[in-house]
Amino acid sequence: VYKLASKKHPLTLLKTDAQGNALGGAEFTFTGAADSSPTLTSKADGQIWTGTLKAGVYTLTETKAPESYKKPTEPIKITIAADGSVTTDAAETDVKVDNKAHTVTVINFPATVKVTLIKVETGKPDKRLEGAEFQLSASGWAKQAETDANGQIVWNDVPVDKEYTLTETKAPKGYLAAAESVTITIEDTGEIVCSSTSVEAQKAADGSITITVTNSPGQRLPNTGGIGTLLFTAAGASLMGAAFLLLAL
């Protein structure tokens, strides 16, 4: 006599990045039934495992992420219902279920991202500015560089899941430097949050990040008490002395 409870359902486990590109080299344990394979490695086409399983609850744990990618912090509970439909306890950003194709796709996010800073003149987005110096820093990590002839700085391998401070340490000649530092958060998914409306930060489809910073033309006045102030004061005093001498004649 055929029993519905003994029926097996097709399932394929896949590994990709957030853009759907297959990732090989990820290692997993897959437990929950005697006929499930305990240790798995994703292939170059992203396939982790394919076969048939009885209704039940299974646990997929990623023990090693592909090179340059972050490993999920929690195991994934996969539940197969009696009708073969599949659900998981993971967020949709981390795991995608396709019950028509009978697939569960586990997504990895990069451990680092490429960040490109672009410096332009305020109101003239096509006018790139060379010679601006910036520091991008976070706890235990810091980089400093100068914009090139294309007005760009490229930082490769910037760690995700950190809060950064972006500081303009030197403005291009003839321009005003940003008065304040900007806080930029790169989340574990590679999404970016910026504290300033004057700085534009965008994430591209390939996961890279572009930060656009503007500068206004001008020169800052000398600091109070600095050598520039002393020179202006001395020149003014000399002019006043000359005027008194002329009046006395």
Side-chain angles (χ1 to χ4, degrees):
V1 178
Y2 177 78
K3 295 181 179 180
L4 182 63
S6 65
K7 183 180 180 181
K8 290 187 175 182
H9 307 280
L11 183 67
T12 299
L13 305 177
L14 302 170
K15 165 64 73 175
T16 71
D17 64 12
Q19 287 72 49
N21 301 306
L23 296 177
E27 296 180 3
F28 298 84
T29 59
F30 187 43
T31 59
D35 56 357
S36 61
S37 178
T39 304
L40 309 167
T41 301
S42 63
K43 301 175 184 177
D45 63 358
Q47 182 174 295
I48 303 168
W49 181 88
T50 188
T52 58
L53 291 170
K54 297 176 182 178
V57 179
Y58 301 83
T59 301
L60 181 67
T61 305
E62 187 167 346
T63 57
K64 179 185 175 183
E67 185 177 356
S68 300
Y69 285 83
K70 291 187 66 177
K71 184 181 70 169
T73 57
E74 299 292 335
I76 301 164
K77 183 186 292 183
I78 299 173
T79 301
I80 303 176
D83 63 357
S85 61
V86 176
T87 57
T88 79
D89 64 347
E92 291 185 5
T93 53
D94 299 326
V95 176
K96 294 189 182 301
V97 177
D98 187 338
N99 276 305
K100 290 184 177 179
H102 307 291
T103 60
V104 173
T105 302
V106 183
I107 298 168
N108 273 134
F109 295 95
T112 61
V113 293
K114 175 183 174 183
V115 175
T116 301
L117 183 146
I118 301 175
K119 167 65 77 171
V120 299
E121 182 175 316
T122 303
K124 296 181 179 179
D126 295 329
K127 187 172 182 179
R128 303 284 185 96
L129 301 178
E130 181 181 4
E133 292 183 3
F134 286 88
Q135 182 182 65
L136 184 66
S137 61
S139 177
W141 190 95
K143 296 287 184 180
Q144 187 155 345
E146 180 177 300
T147 54
D148 60 17
N150 295 316
Q152 290 190 167
I153 295 171
V154 177
W155 287 298
N156 292 301
D157 302 326
V158 177
V160 301
D161 200 17
K162 283 183 177 288
E163 182 178 277
Y164 291 89
T165 300
L166 178 66
T167 304
E168 185 171 359
T169 56
K170 177 187 172 184
K173 186 176 181 180
Y175 289 84
L176 298 171
E180 297 181 348
S181 298
V182 176
T183 300
I184 294 173
T185 302
I186 302 178
E187 299 176 343
D188 58 355
T189 59
E191 298 298 328
I192 184 166
V193 179
C194 182
S195 67
S196 174
T197 56
S198 63
V199 174
E200 182 181 346
Q202 292 182 328
K203 178 184 175 182
D206 64 0
S208 63
I209 291 171
T210 300
I211 300 170
T212 304
V213 184
T214 60
N215 271 140
S216 298
Q219 298 286 351
R220 294 201 182 279
L221 294 174
N223 292 329
T224 302
I227 186 65
T229 302
L230 292 175
L231 290 173
F232 282 120
T233 303
S238 298
L239 289 173
M240 290 178 65
F244 280 123
L245 286 174
L246 288 173
L247 290 172
L249 295 176

